[in-house]
Amino acid sequence: MMQTSPLFFLLRRSIHLGGITKSAAKTDLAKLRKKTGFTFLNCKKALKEFNNDIVKAEEWLHKQAEKEGWSKATSLQGRETAQGLVAVLCQDNYATMVEVNCETDFVARNSQFQQFVGKVASMALKQHRSENSVINDVGKVELMGDKLDGLKSEQDDGSSVKDITALTIGKIGENITVKRAVCMHVPVGHILGSYVHSMAKTSILKTNDCSLGKYGALVAAHSIKKSSAKMQPDEFGRRLCQHIVGMKPVRIGEFVPPVQKESEEQEDGEEIEEQIVTDLVNQEYLIDPSLTVGELLYQEGIQVIDFVRYECGQKLH
């Protein structure tokens, strides 16, 4: 019987270990790509640089991306960002709505961009909750410019919105602007309605518990009398926000009782017509045009306290 030489076993062991090493390297590469979202080549380069140490490779990738992001953010600054998404995030008696813009609709449908929009909404809501932990009345805070860019993340080493924006620009390669945000809160027993409308035929996208679309609305309301209406408060708030998105009211307005409306229209038709176009309570209710919103609110025993409507790409005065 022929004896197998020790050299054969050494070669066989070497090949086996080499296979394990290659398999482990592929696993590490897959893990790093999934965790960071960076390209195959960048992840492979980072693992090679740090001898397959995933932690060090990830740190290096983020530092490189941040450098590249700030560089790209500077070079792309000023390029028009007319596309993007509106996000709405609601938790308990708090809600936030943000608008984040990019250059193309292709990027607006990118999962990394959507995750970024969700993160901005989450950061805005967390800060608003921490600053308004005790709620005695309805409140609204609007954020733009430095106030919005300066929001800090509890993750990402406390990075600001501005820092994370630069990092996302580095990953995606398009100019991105965090345009505006609004945060609202209501006391217990009040209604805080929300709605997001997407132009896509598919169901509304959700990320980080945020609803994403091209239009959004928030409304704060409360009951002023008992009513026999069967609609649940959350559903009523959602439908009212649907109306706000579709009909574009600019203010709440004053409800004109049906008995008085006809005589006032005869006295000054132009003024009433203008109210019908812009005042929420005097608009025909989108879901049931036989009613005005004011008549609907009267039937339901509800008073609107405040509302906000966002349209992606909307020009601000």
Side-chain angles (χ1 to χ4, degrees), residues 94 124-132 139 141 183-185:
Y94 301 84
L125 189 62
K126 282 181 180 177
Q127 175 161 310
H128 186 70
R129 289 192 70 144
S130 67
E131 293 176 351
N132 298 275
V141 177
C183 300
M184 296 181 75
H185 60 260

Side-chain angles (χ1 to χ4, degrees), residues 21-22 64 90 103 115 121 176 205 216 221 244 268 311-312:
T21 304
K22 285 182 181 179
Q64 291 299 112
C90 301
E103 295 179 46
Q115 291 291 331
I176 294 171
L205 299 165
I244 291 165
D268 192 349
E311 180 176 337
C312 187

Side-chain angles (χ1 to χ4, degrees), residues 174-242:
E174 268 196 19
N175 191 21
I176 294 171
T177 53
V178 181
K179 187 175 184 178
R180 53 181 171 164
V182 61
C183 300
M184 296 181 75
H185 60 260
V186 299
V188 174
H190 282 54
I191 297 169
L192 184 55
S194 67
Y195 175 72
V196 172
H197 180 77
S198 174
M199 295 297 289
K201 291 183 179 179
T202 55
S203 58
I204 292 174
L205 299 165
K206 288 194 174 182
T207 181
N208 291 348
D209 298 323
C210 288
S211 295
L212 304 175
K214 294 295 184 181
Y215 306 85
L218 298 176
V219 66
H222 72 121
S223 298
I224 54 176
K225 65 177 183 179
K226 289 184 178 180
S227 98
S228 58
K230 297 180 180 179
M231 199 183 304
Q232 293 298 312
D234 288 348
E235 179 62 16
F236 183 81
R238 190 183 73 83
R239 291 191 183 188
L240 195 54
C241 283
Q242 279 182 303

Side-chain angles (χ1 to χ4, degrees), residues 24-37 43 54:
K26 285 183 179 179
T27 303
D28 290 341
L29 181 58
K31 284 181 181 177
L32 190 60
R33 285 198 69 197
K34 186 176 181 180
K35 190 173 183 181
T36 64
C43 290
I54 290 184

Side-chain angles (χ1 to χ4, degrees), residues 93-109:
N93 290 19
Y94 301 84
T96 190
M97 182 163 59
V98 303
E99 180 186 353
V100 182
N101 302 116
C102 56
E103 295 179 46
T104 65
D105 188 55
F106 176 78
V107 164
R109 290 182 274 113

Side-chain angles (χ1 to χ4, degrees), residues 41-112:
L41 290 176
N42 283 336
C43 290
K44 188 175 181 181
K45 182 179 178 181
L47 286 169
K48 186 177 180 181
E49 185 79 18
F50 295 97
N51 198 27
N52 291 328
D53 187 321
I54 290 184
V55 175
K56 289 183 179 179
E58 184 180 352
E59 289 175 358
W60 182 81
L61 281 169
H62 281 295
K63 285 178 182 178
Q64 291 299 112
E66 192 169 346
K67 287 179 185 176
E68 186 179 348
W70 281 113
S71 176
K72 281 188 178 179
T74 302
S75 65
L76 297 177
Q77 193 173 19
R79 279 169 54 166
E80 186 178 3
T81 52
Q83 299 298 322
L85 288 170
V86 169
V88 170
L89 174 61
C90 301
Q91 292 176 356
D92 303 321
N93 290 19
Y94 301 84
T96 190
M97 182 163 59
V98 303
E99 180 186 353
V100 182
N101 302 116
C102 56
E103 295 179 46
T104 65
D105 188 55
F106 176 78
V107 164
R109 290 182 274 113
N110 178 290
S111 61
Q112 288 185 338

